[in-house]
């Protein structure tokens, strides 16, 4: 099955306030149709040679593939981390009504 042009972008933030600022900017600029903010995420990762454990906030950003570079620019501008997580995953299928709503909510690039 060919993936759709739609994606879910995973972004972690240091706080709910930071996630809300980034999420609101993405939705207002029509780079995201929807942003879910999940608190209470416990993250383990290696940073500068040391294993870190942080409480973070996870953002699930619904968008289209061609908007990823613009999403990354916004996140880098607003994020407190030196290297923020921005990972896009394809949406291989979805409710046709939801995908139409996404298109209506996002920037038109063509």
């Amino acid at each position: 099955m060919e993936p759709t042009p739609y994606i879910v972008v995973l972004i972690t933030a240091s706080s709910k306030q930071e996630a809300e600022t980034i999420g609101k900017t993405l939705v207002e600029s029509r780079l995201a149709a929807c942003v879910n903010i999940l608190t209470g995420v416990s993250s383990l990762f290696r940073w500068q040679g040391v294993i870190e454990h942080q409480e973070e906030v996870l953002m699930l950003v619904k968008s289209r593939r061609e908007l990823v570079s613009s999403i990354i620019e916004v996140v880098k501008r607003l994020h407190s981390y030196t290297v923020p997580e921005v990972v896009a995953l394809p949406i291989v299928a979805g409710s046709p009504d939801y995908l139409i709503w996404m298109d209506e909510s996002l920037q038109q690039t063509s």
Side-chain angles (χ1 to χ4, degrees), residues 44-53:
L44 290 166
F45 55 93
R46 185 176 303 277
W47 178 247
Q48 298 180 336
V50 178
I51 295 177
E52 300 282 345
H53 178 236

Side-chain angles (χ1 to χ4, degrees), residues 22-93:
I22 294 168
K24 184 176 182 192
T25 301
L26 292 173
V27 172
E28 284 177 343
S29 60
R30 300 175 76 87
L31 294 172
C34 174
V35 177
N36 303 114
I37 298 173
L38 296 96
T39 59
V41 174
S42 185
S43 298
L44 290 166
F45 55 93
R46 185 176 303 277
W47 178 247
Q48 298 180 336
V50 178
I51 295 177
E52 300 282 345
H53 178 236
Q54 290 283 116
E55 295 303 312
E56 295 184 299
V57 176
L58 177 63
M59 303 167 60
L60 304 175
V61 178
K62 279 62 138 235
S63 189
R64 279 194 316 266
R65 207 170 311 150
E66 74 265 14
L67 299 175
V68 169
S69 60
S70 296
I71 290 169
I72 291 169
E73 286 177 28
V74 168
V75 171
K76 286 178 125 179
R77 188 177 79 239
L78 298 175
H79 210 289
S80 62
Y81 293 172
T82 305
V83 182
E85 173 187 6
V86 183
V87 178
L89 305 173
I91 296 175
V92 295

